[in-house]
Structure formats: structure tokens, C-alpha cells
Amino acid sequence: MLNAEHLNIKSKIGSDKEYLFIGCNLLIVAFISGSELWLRTRQQYHKQIVVGCGYIISYLMYFLIEPFVDGAQMLLMMPIIVSLVYFDRKLLYSLGFFSVVFYAGIYFGLERVVLHKPLLEFLLVECVFIVFVIMTQAVISRAQEAQEHLEQLTKSEQGLMVERAISDKLLKIDALTGLYNHKTFHEYLDLLLEQCESNGLRLQLALLDIDNFKRVNDTYGHWVGDLVLKEVATKLGGMIGLNDFAARYGGEEFAIIFTDKTLPEAYSYVEELRMSIASMGHPYAGGKPITVSVGLCNYEPGLGKELMFRRTDDALYKAKKEGKNTVVTAQASQGEACLLNIV
């Protein structure tokens, strides 16, 4: 049978030392509970609390176990592991240096004097400290490299998303006026017309044409003409509703799609817009007012895109013919009425 001499036990706890053993365990529980309470209730000094608690607990456990178990010094590596939690290289070096120095003080002040431990054991433990710091530093370096690589990938992906968004915007937006372009206008209109036919969505189309725009270009130059287009577009984009859609249809012509409005409401919008444009000042164009003529058409179920455009364009032509700077609402011609009846 095995006896106590064959076991790797140096001594046993005497009845007079039990209070020290219990006290150390109570201190460990108290420090862990206090640290947990601090971390949950306070927002400051989290790293310092974790590091300090790690040091105190590791050395308390070391003093509890060391008299009975060889190699208990490995518990003293616990504080260094904290640096892995934060991936902090500076913290690692600080903890490593402090551990080496602190253990040296414990060895020469306690273990060598009281426990008569050999110097070789001290040197081995210090070497383990240094090797552990080097290994931990390698882990932190690889983790930081992986993090940097991930950040680069994230930035590259974000850059691609931004470039894609910009490209998509450039494909949809007119470069001069900032409104939607001709192609995007028709794509949006097609979708809305489907909603009109299937869900009864109310829709009106307005075509606006700047009056005497060729004269502006010929008299003051094309750069003045571009300024006029920009100002009219800005006014137009600022006055329409959130559910409406404005585009530069081509040249000096603009288009507005009104949704979920009655024809009188849409007419009120374009009339207010017409008067607002007419009241704008243009000092670079001789101070003369710039006006627009407007054709407005209300969509009716079964009308179709082609007939709606024909009505709107006829209304715009009528507005031009009747003296410009006016709004004309489209009316169905007899030929269109016959065509709709056939359909």
C-alpha cells in the first residue's frame, strides 16, 4: 500500500492552519465578487480591475497550493493571460516584467529563506515567465495582423459599395440639374402605371418647357442657359412632394409624376411652381424673368403610356401656343375616345 511518503505531498494542513486556508478562500471569493460587481455597475477602470484581481487571486491560490503541489508557480501565469483578453501588447510587457520582478522578490524573501527552494527552480520559473510572454506576444501579433487584414477587407468592401452607389446614382441622375434622367424617368413611370392598372393608384403627368430658352442661349451664352436650367431644376425639386418624381426629360424640358393626388391638387402644385419660377430673379440674364409652360394630364385606367404622353404633349403645345407661361390640362380628343372604346 502507498503511504504519505510515496505521495507528492510536502505537508498537510494542520488544525492550527485551517483558519488561514479558509481565510484565503474567502478572500478569493470576495475579490471575484467585488470585481464582478464593479464591472457590472461602473464604466471606468475595467482593465485595471481585471488585472489587479487576476494578480491577487493568482498569488492567493499560489500560497494556498504551493506547500502541497510542485509546479504551483504556473498559477502565476494567470495575470499575463489577461493581456490576451485585451490583445494589448504594452499591457503584456508590463505584466511580464512585473511578474518576473515580483516573483524574484517572493523567492529571495520567502521561498529560499523559509522553504529552502533551490536557485535552479527559481531560474526555471523565470525562464517560463519569459517564454510565456514571448508566446503570448506572438499570439497577440497574429491576432492584430488578422484584425488589420479584416479591417482592410471591410474598408475595401465599403469602398466598393460606395463606388457602386455612386455609379448607380450617376446612371440615374442628370449631371447638370441633379434631377433624374430620361431613362430613369421612364423606368419609374412604367412601374407606377402598373400600379395604376392593378391597384387603382392615382397619377398625373406634367411636362414643363422653359419659354424662349433658345433666345437665352443665343443672347447670353450657353453657360447662362445652364445656370437657368439648374435654377429651374432646384426650384422644381424643392417644391414637389415626397411621393412625387421629377426628372429632366431632355434639353429645356422637365417632367413631373404626381402620385396619390387628385387632378385639381396636381394642377395647384404646377400652377404654384409656374408662378414661383416666373418670380425668380436672373441678373446674369439681363434681369428678365424666366417662365415655363406646362401641360398636365390625369391618368385614366386603360389609357396607356403612349396616349397619356400624347395628351400631355398636346396640352404643352397648347400652352405654348396660347402665350406661354401658363398651365393647360389635357383633354381627350375624339380620335382617342374612339380608340379607347375599341380597346
Side-chain angles (χ1 to χ4, degrees):
M1 297 178 63
L2 295 176
N3 53 37
E5 295 179 354
H6 292 101
L7 295 176
N8 189 19
I9 298 178
K10 300 177 183 178
S11 61
K12 60 183 180 179
I13 302 175
S15 58
D16 58 334
K17 303 296 183 181
E18 288 181 356
Y19 70 94
L20 293 175
F21 185 82
I22 296 173
C24 287
N25 280 282
L26 289 176
L27 282 175
I28 291 174
V29 173
F31 277 112
I32 292 176
S33 301
S35 300
E36 181 68 19
L37 181 63
W38 180 283
L39 295 175
R40 288 179 179 272
T41 58
R42 302 296 180 88
Q43 300 297 325
Q44 296 179 332
Y45 307 114
H46 282 195
K47 186 183 295 187
Q48 291 84 344
I49 291 295
V50 172
V51 171
C53 184
Y55 260 108
I56 293 172
I57 292 174
S58 63
Y59 278 93
L60 284 174
M61 293 180 66
Y62 170 66
F63 287 126
L64 282 174
I65 298 175
E66 200 282 333
F68 315 108
V69 179
D70 286 328
Q73 293 91 340
M74 294 302 100
L75 288 171
L76 304 181
M77 305 297 170
M78 185 188 303
I80 301 178
I81 299 177
V82 174
S83 60
L84 278 175
V85 176
Y86 296 101
F87 289 101
D88 190 333
R89 193 175 301 176
K90 183 178 179 180
L91 179 64
L92 169 66
Y93 295 148
S94 301
L95 295 178
F97 177 79
F98 182 80
S99 296
V100 170
V101 174
F102 194 71
Y103 179 70
I106 291 176
Y107 174 79
F108 288 106
L110 178 65
E111 293 183 344
R112 186 175 178 84
V113 177
V114 178
L115 301 178
H116 306 291
K117 287 191 175 183
L119 182 63
L120 180 60
E121 182 175 346
F122 163 72
L123 295 176
L124 287 174
V125 173
E126 294 286 41
C127 288
V128 170
F129 273 124
I130 296 172
V131 171
F132 193 78
V133 169
I134 294 174
M135 293 174 59
T136 307
Q137 189 270 340
V139 173
I140 292 176
S141 297
R142 298 299 175 270
Q144 289 178 341
E145 290 176 2
Q147 183 180 3
E148 291 174 359
H149 181 65
L150 181 61
E151 289 177 354
Q152 291 177 355
L153 289 177
T154 302
K155 289 180 180 179
S156 299
E157 184 176 353
Q158 290 175 345
L160 290 174
M161 291 177 63
V162 172
E163 291 179 1
R164 191 179 300 115
I166 293 175
S167 299
D168 187 57
K169 182 178 180 181
L170 291 176
L171 291 174
K172 293 183 177 181
I173 300 297
D174 176 67
L176 178 63
T177 62
L179 299 178
Y180 288 103
N181 57 27
H182 183 96
K183 179 176 179 293
T184 307
F185 166 78
H186 279 285
E187 291 175 352
Y188 190 67
L189 180 60
D190 289 337
L191 293 175
L192 289 177
L193 290 179
E194 292 179 4
Q195 294 296 318
C196 290
E197 296 295 342
S198 60
N199 299 322
L201 176 71
R202 292 183 294 185
L203 182 144
Q204 295 83 32
L205 172 65
L207 293 179
L208 297 81
D209 189 85
I210 299 177
D211 298 325
N212 305 315
F213 186 72
K214 184 177 183 302
R215 186 186 302 171
V216 173
N217 278 334
D218 293 341
T219 304
Y220 302 104
H222 288 279
W223 71 273
V224 173
D226 289 345
L227 286 176
V228 170
L229 288 172
K230 289 180 181 179
E231 291 187 350
V232 172
T234 301
K235 179 67 68 174
L236 193 157
M239 292 187 66
I240 63 172
L242 294 176
N243 295 326
D244 302 328
F245 185 94
R248 184 186 181 190
Y249 195 72
E252 69 273 19
E253 192 171 355
F254 300 89
I256 305 175
I257 302 173
F258 295 103
T259 60
D260 202 26
K261 288 182 176 63
T262 63
L263 181 59
E265 289 173 340
Y267 182 89
S268 177
Y269 263 88
V270 291
E271 179 63 21
E272 182 180 357
L273 177 62
R274 180 194 64 78
M275 291 188 295
S276 180
I277 293 173
S279 64
M280 294 169 57
H282 305 279
Y284 45 81
K288 297 179 181 179
I290 301 296
T291 62
V292 294
S293 299
V294 186
L296 178 66
C297 178
N298 185 57
Y299 186 81
E300 301 169 2
L303 180 62
K305 181 178 179 181
E306 183 179 348
L307 288 179
M308 180 185 63
F309 260 95
R310 187 185 302 173
R311 284 187 183 183
T312 312
D313 198 52
D314 288 344
L316 176 60
Y317 177 78
K318 185 177 180 181
K320 288 283 189 180
K321 187 177 180 181
E322 291 182 354
K324 305 176 182 177
N325 191 23
T326 187
V327 179
V328 174
T329 303
Q331 301 294 332
S333 65
Q334 292 183 352
E336 289 177 6
C338 293
L339 180 59
L340 288 176
N341 290 332
I342 293 174
V343 174

